[in-house]
């Protein structure tokens, strides 16, 4: 029986803002339930390229998704495709570019917004296409998918922090408040997910700069949080996980054999020996 995994990608949330504004997540750290790392995102610090990086463990310069305008299916193996191959179930409440990378391109809202098709790479999805689609609604979408389909892997991907950053910039009360708001929303779900035994990763694709954009190499646009919650994580704060290791780490948690993706050594503990036979 593998671990179930929830990956929360907070679009456009940089490390400093996560550290200062995610109050409930920081409370979990204080309780010893979460560990936070400063992660360097891959380049360019753009959304679609880094969705592909997070979900396939490959860099944009290698996977070819080098800007947001490239609308084609991924040609890499992903958490979704590897899980499907292994007979596992996946679901995503995510921006429609995720549907375009792994299910169908172009995204057609009337067909794809609500996806329920076991023949697809992501069989169960709630995909949205308005950047201001409320985080509160997105989290309800994710929770519906979790309750209805009990997926082994669930992607949760809200967009409001990024959207606010594009309108007001990184050093704005609006941007910081959007992170605080998200934290409050997330606090309605995390305790349930933790109690249910999920292994949870909270991270971001990229950060945000004062020019109301991202894409380059400034620390505020490339440093993102990487937060681990769950008993399968070592919680060794001395490690420096790479963004390209997220895919492999999740494959390990899902006990997908021979995934050939990079991992951060020491990030996970060994799985407990289940069904151990006692000879005493
Ligand atoms: Zn953005």
């Amino acid at each position: 029986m593998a671990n179930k995994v929830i990956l929360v990608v907070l679009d456009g949330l940089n490390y400093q803002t996560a550290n200062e504004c995610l109050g409930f997540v920081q409370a979990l750290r204080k309780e010893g339930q979460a560990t936070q790392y400063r992660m360097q995102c891959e380049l360019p610090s753009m959304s679609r390229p880094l969705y592909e990086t997070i979900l396939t463990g490959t860099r944009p310069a290698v996977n070819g998704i080098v800007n947001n305008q490239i609308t084609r299916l991924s040609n890499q193996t992903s958490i979704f495709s590897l899980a499907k191959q292994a007979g596992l179930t996946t679901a995503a409440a995510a921006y429609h570019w995720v549907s375009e990378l792994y299910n169908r391109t172009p995204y057609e809202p009337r067909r794809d917004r609500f996806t329920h098709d076991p023949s697809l790479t992501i069989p169960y999805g709630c995909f949205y296409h308005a950047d201001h689609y409320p985080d509160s609604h997105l989290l309800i979408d994710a929770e519906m998918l979790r309750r209805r389909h009990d997926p082994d892997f669930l992607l949760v991907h809200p967009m409001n922090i990024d959207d606010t950053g594009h309108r007001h910039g990184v050093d704005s009360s609006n941007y910081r408040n959007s992170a605080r708001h998200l934290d409050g929303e997330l606090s309605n779900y995390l305790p349930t997910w933790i109690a249910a035994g999920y292994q949870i990763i909270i991270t971001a694709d990229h950060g945000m700069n004062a020019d109301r954009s991202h894409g380059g190499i400034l620390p505020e646009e490339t440093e993102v949080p990487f937060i681990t919650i769950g008993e399968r994580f070592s919680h060794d704060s001395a490690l420096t996980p790479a963004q390209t290791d997220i895919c492999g780490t999740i494959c390990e948690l899902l006990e997908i054999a021979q995934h050939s993706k990079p991992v951060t050594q020491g990030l996970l503990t060994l799985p407990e020996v289940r069904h151990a036979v006692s000879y005493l």
Side-chain angles (χ1 to χ4, degrees):
M1 183 84 173
N3 307 277
K4 296 202 176 214
V5 182
I6 296 177
L7 171 65
V8 182
V9 178
L10 303 177
D11 207 290
L13 178 64
N14 75 8
Y15 177 84
Q16 186 183 343
T17 308
N19 192 46
E20 293 173 353
C21 299
L22 300 185
F24 179 68
V25 172
Q26 299 304 325
L28 292 176
R29 283 180 74 193
K30 279 196 165 180
E31 295 296 325
Q33 292 191 52
T35 301
Q36 176 174 283
Y37 302 88
R38 186 190 299 255
M39 177 176 273
Q40 196 71 33
C41 79
E42 295 299 331
L43 297 172
S45 52
M46 301 292 291
S47 287
R48 197 189 300 247
L50 298 182
Y51 303 162
E52 176 77 340
T53 290
I54 290 170
L55 295 163
T56 69
T58 58
R59 294 184 180 82
V62 172
N63 62 45
I65 306 294
V66 293
N67 63 56
N68 284 341
Q69 281 67 50
I70 294 178
T71 57
R72 63 158 168 81
L73 283 170
S74 166
N75 57 24
Q76 306 290 315
T77 54
S78 66
I79 301 170
F80 298 112
S81 68
L82 292 165
K84 187 179 174 72
Q85 235 172 44
L88 302 174
T89 303
T90 65
Y95 197 55
H96 66 290
W97 292 354
V98 172
S99 176
E100 290 191 329
L101 280 167
Y102 308 105
N103 273 357
R104 292 184 283 222
T105 298
Y107 168 80
E108 292 178 16
R110 281 168 292 277
R111 180 192 62 186
D112 300 326
R113 169 147 161 69
F114 300 110
T115 291
H116 183 123
D117 184 346
S119 73
L120 293 174
T121 305
I122 308 174
Y124 308 113
C126 283
F127 301 104
Y128 61 96
H129 46 279
D131 292 12
H132 60 277
Y133 184 65
D135 290 351
S136 56
H137 293 42
L138 183 280
L139 284 166
I140 291 169
D141 295 343
E143 181 66 359
M144 178 276 291
L145 291 168
R146 188 186 74 84
R147 292 183 185 212
R148 190 167 291 177
H149 303 293
D150 191 23
D152 298 287
F153 172 68
L154 173 64
L155 172 64
V156 184
H157 175 220
M159 185 60 74
N160 287 174
I161 297 170
D162 183 75
D163 186 48
T164 307
H166 284 298
R167 282 186 280 116
H168 301 280
V170 66
D171 188 19
S172 68
S173 58
N174 310 68
Y175 178 74
R176 287 186 291 271
N177 283 337
S178 69
R180 294 179 183 115
H181 179 80
L182 179 282
D183 177 76
E185 289 291 341
L186 207 50
S187 73
N188 290 319
Y189 300 90
L190 282 174
T192 307
W193 297 346
I194 292 168
Y198 286 89
Q199 307 305 305
I200 302 165
I201 293 172
I202 302 171
T203 189
D205 46 354
H206 53 74
M208 184 64 59
N209 62 34
D211 300 331
R212 307 179 188 187
S213 68
H214 48 83
I217 63 168
L218 296 171
E220 57 268 36
E221 51 190 346
T222 56
E223 289 180 358
V224 296
F226 180 75
I227 297 157
T228 58
I229 302 170
E231 63 182 14
R232 283 298 320 282
F233 293 101
S234 66
H235 298 284
D236 178 352
S237 56
L239 300 172
T240 51
Q243 198 170 34
T244 46
D245 296 344
I246 296 174
C247 175
T249 298
I250 292 172
C251 288
E252 293 279 303
L253 287 168
L254 295 173
E255 296 178 11
I256 293 171
Q258 297 172 332
H259 53 75
S260 74
K261 302 291 184 181
V263 297
T264 310
Q265 292 302 325
L267 186 66
L268 299 180
T269 58
L270 290 173
E272 69 179 82
V273 180
R274 297 181 177 86
H275 316 298
V277 179
S278 168
Y279 296 100
L280 295 174

